[in-house]
Amino acid sequence: MLSSIFIFASLIAFSQARSEARRMQVLESRSEVPQGFVFSGAAPPTTTLQLRLALTQSDIPGLHKALYDVSDPDSPHYGQHLTKAEVEKLVAPKPESVEAVNAWLKDNNITTSTNSPAGDWLAFSLPVSKANELLDTEFATYTHEATRKTSTRTLAYSVPEDLKDHIQLIHPTISQVVSFPTSTFVATSLPAPSGLNAAVIPPSCAPPIRPRCILDLYGVPNGTVATHPSNVLAVTGYDNLFANQADLQSFLTLFRPDISSNTTFAVQTIQGGTNPQNISQAGTEPDLDTQYTVGIATGVPVVFVSVGPQGPPGGESFLDTANFFLSENNPPSVVTTSYTHPVESGISPALAKNICNAFAQLGARGTSILFSSGDAGVGGVTNCTTFIPNVPNDCPFVTSVGATTGVNPETAAALSSGGFSNYFSTPSYQQAAVSSYIASLGITYAGLYNRSGRGFPDVSAQGTDVRIVVRGAQALVKGTSCSAPMFAGIVALLNDALLGAGRPPLGFLNPFFYSPRGAAAFTDVTSGSNPGCGTSGFPAAAGWDPVTGLGTPNYEKLKAALGL
């Protein structure tokens, strides 16, 4: 701790000395090295940094208003999603911001390129020595203690005083990104069913979990097949993990013999991503995600989006993914992601809000964004003295999916991450639900979480003892990575029913889900908890809770709530 304080104090003093001459002002700073990282020395001056600069967006309040206007089922504009041009108009920087910032960079012989559809992100490269001078800072090398991976970052940086209102942030600077897929390999030997009450459990749900169990458990009638090719479900993939077509064929042959084993997924790539089909390169995470979207959302076109290997997702990779979809004239109706950045405080507030607003843009255009809530209960993946929310489940514009275990009744899976954001306040759509839950807690865990923060997860689905095929062999996995693609498949089927009735897809889900008729379409999960940080974690309870959210979906009840 002392070394972090010394580094920060020295950095601020260094910046202040330069500021007197250059009229610089600190834009972002943190007081200490993020948890899990250690200072390893000054960054080599010749190291090239690939930096991105976020220009101040013109009308974020207008974006949020428009998003809620088309997402609230009681709004007269419900479902009237915005066009690409309408969204870009709300977030595009003002011309004077573009001109002033580009002039500053040009004066320093820096050439930029536009890095987002609305022009609100600029990209440029420069050596550490020049970045130190440009931003009145000292970049250093930091090592992540668990993975031993290194990164070049700083604890504070500055921009010209007259540009501060034109620049939201520069990245990567003070944010440390370490992200993990949220599925865990369990075993290749499959247990026999035991201790089950066959009278209350669908025959398809004898363990382990398979697609037919999910369809039966969540009320999807036999023979439900989507028919609308525009209703695309996207699965995102990161970290050089690849989805294998042969594994999907084997999976369908074993567990969905009622549909063609030749059913497959399309592939899109971002930033040099690939998807090689050598069976030895098949990844557990992408195989799980593609098998449980194709296997649940019968007939829905599924696309696997492979994002290039530029480090763990959580910062630029999530932004690249969002901007890729925003650049499309017809983005997917549903996007599911099974990765999180496990420690909210590792990402700067400005970056977290920018990522969140990118998802708001997609929601306004009619895309449902789902993330697995994480697999560490209330505690993140590090030692903790307070409960640790994660990114981007802290964002009020995504739908966070927690995990359950068992059937009839389902209970909260202990691994299911949930809690309350320290960056985002409780959104209006969940204010009543969160307030009721916090009131029931009383003084329990007082001081360990933010009582006024955005609560997550929003919903849940099965997340333990899930059978997949990976690298040609059957395996069991667990985690909210199982839950998110399952839930996304249900949403995709609902979208197909809406399209069949001549109506638009759901888009941003949460205002509908938290509405009285939406919430009534979920099966409440009232037992279990998500331990962590030396506690038993938050308990599941009647109504919403930060372990299983509103509960698990009932397809037919959700259709009825939508007037179908």
Side-chain angles (χ1 to χ4, degrees):
M1 179 67 72
L2 288 176
S3 60
S4 297
I5 293 172
F6 175 76
I7 295 166
F8 179 71
S10 299
L11 186 58
I12 293 298
F14 176 81
S15 296
Q16 287 174 341
R18 285 183 175 174
S19 297
E20 293 176 1
R22 298 177 55 189
R23 299 183 62 185
M24 303 290 280
Q25 189 168 346
V26 173
L27 187 64
E28 287 192 288
S29 66
R30 60 169 68 245
S31 60
E32 60 185 33
V33 178
Q35 189 174 11
F37 290 84
V38 293
F39 173 77
S40 301
T46 57
T47 296
T48 298
L49 298 177
Q50 304 291 337
L51 296 182
R52 305 178 186 210
L53 185 151
L55 294 163
T56 300
Q57 296 161 316
S58 56
D59 190 7
I60 291 302
L63 171 66
H64 294 171
K65 182 181 184 301
L67 172 64
Y68 282 116
D69 204 25
V70 300
S71 305
D72 182 347
D74 293 325
S75 165
H77 301 114
Y78 181 57
Q80 298 177 25
H81 301 120
L82 277 64
T83 65
K84 182 175 185 289
E86 287 170 336
V87 167
E88 289 174 1
K89 184 178 180 180
L90 290 169
V91 299
K94 294 178 179 179
E96 54 265 34
S97 294
V98 177
E99 182 179 353
V101 172
N102 273 318
W104 168 56
L105 294 172
K106 185 177 180 180
D107 286 345
N108 285 275
N109 298 313
I110 295 170
T111 301
T112 66
S113 60
T114 301
N115 204 236
S116 63
D120 51 323
W121 277 92
L122 304 176
F124 56 95
S125 62
L126 72 176
V128 163
S129 58
K130 189 166 185 175
N132 286 342
E133 180 180 352
L134 181 75
L135 303 176
D136 262 3
T137 190
E138 288 292 330
F139 278 93
T141 300
Y142 296 89
T143 301
H144 185 243
E145 293 177 290
T147 65
R148 306 310 299 169
K149 292 182 179 180
T150 60
S151 57
T152 303
R153 297 290 190 273
T154 185
L155 295 182
Y157 66 94
S158 300
V159 297
E161 186 177 57
D162 61 312
L163 295 182
K164 188 174 182 183
D165 291 338
H166 297 294
I167 301 173
Q168 185 181 8
L169 72 135
I170 299 173
H171 176 75
T173 49
I174 69 169
S175 293
Q176 289 282 11
V177 176
V178 176
S179 190
F180 298 97
T182 55
S183 66
T184 304
F185 178 79
V186 181
T188 53
S189 59
L190 304 177
S194 63
L196 299 177
N197 183 347
V200 295
I201 293 176
S204 60
C205 285
I209 297 297
R210 291 148 291 174
R212 177 51 60 189
C213 169
I214 299 304
L215 293 168
D216 291 345
L217 190 63
Y218 298 147
V220 180
N222 286 336
T224 301
V225 179
T227 59
H228 293 85
S230 64
N231 179 32
V232 175
L233 195 173
V235 173
T236 61
Y238 302 92
D239 248 8
N240 283 317
L241 297 174
F242 309 118
N244 190 269
Q245 305 274 9
D247 280 344
L248 175 61
Q249 288 185 339
S250 297
F251 178 82
L252 294 175
T253 299
L254 287 166
F255 308 127
R256 282 302 309 272
D258 55 316
I259 63 176
S260 171
S261 63
N262 292 324
T263 305
T264 189
F265 52 85
V267 176
Q268 292 180 307
T269 60
I270 303 174
Q271 296 289 352
T274 59
N275 193 47
Q277 289 302 292
N278 188 314
I279 196 70
S280 66
Q281 293 179 279
T284 300
E285 183 62 64
D287 269 5
L288 162 64
D289 293 349
T290 51
Q291 288 167 23
Y292 276 86
T293 46
V294 173
I296 299 298
T298 311
V300 172
V302 173
V303 58
F304 176 66
V305 182
S306 178
V307 184
Q310 51 178 308
E316 56 266 32
S317 293
F318 285 158
L319 282 168
D320 283 343
T321 306
N323 283 323
F324 172 77
F325 292 134
L326 287 167
S327 72
E328 296 186 312
N329 290 324
N330 297 295
S333 298
V334 183
V335 178
T336 180
T337 300
S338 293
Y339 292 76
T340 66
H341 178 82
V343 182
E344 183 183 55
S345 61
I347 301 285
S348 76
L351 179 58
K353 290 174 183 177
N354 193 285
I355 293 171
C356 189
N357 285 330
F359 296 135
Q361 294 174 59
L362 283 168
R365 291 187 59 188
T367 298
S368 302
I369 305 294
L370 293 91
F371 275 85
S372 56
S373 74
D375 294 351
V378 296
V381 295
T382 60
N383 295 329
C384 50
T385 54
T386 60
F387 296 165
I388 301 175
N390 65 55
V391 174
N393 288 286
D394 60 347
C395 171
F397 308 128
V398 307
T399 299
S400 174
V401 187
T404 61
T405 187
V407 292
N408 289 346
E410 293 180 83
T411 62
L415 57 80
S416 185
S417 287
F420 301 86
S421 172
N422 293 314
Y423 288 172
F424 298 94
S425 60
T426 309
S428 58
Y429 61 75
Q430 67 167 191
Q431 185 67 60
V434 168
S435 297
S436 177
Y437 182 82
I438 290 177
S440 73
L441 278 183
I443 63 170
T444 303
Y445 303 141
L448 295 182
Y449 71 97
N450 178 18
R451 294 170 62 93
S452 61
R454 183 275 203 263
F456 72 97
D458 299 298
V459 295
S460 54
Q462 285 284 314
T464 63
D465 296 326
V466 174
R467 189 185 295 193
I468 65 169
V469 174
V470 60
R471 293 182 287 281
Q474 294 184 48
L476 291 180
V477 291
K478 64 180 180 179
T480 54
S481 276
C482 307
S483 316
M486 291 175 187
F487 200 100
I490 300 295
V491 173
L493 291 175
L494 290 169
N495 280 338
D496 187 78
L498 286 166
L499 291 168
R503 293 167 57 185
L506 285 164
F508 177 37
L509 299 167
N510 295 1
F512 165 58
F513 283 172
Y514 282 88
S515 70
R517 63 180 180 271
F522 286 84
T523 301
D524 201 2
V525 179
T526 59
S527 61
S529 66
N530 54 354
C533 294
T535 75
S536 58
F538 291 114
W544 178 88
D545 57 71
V547 194
T548 62
L550 296 166
T552 57
N554 183 298
Y555 175 76
E556 287 292 339
K557 288 184 178 181
L558 284 164
K559 280 183 65 179
L562 289 166
L564 296 171

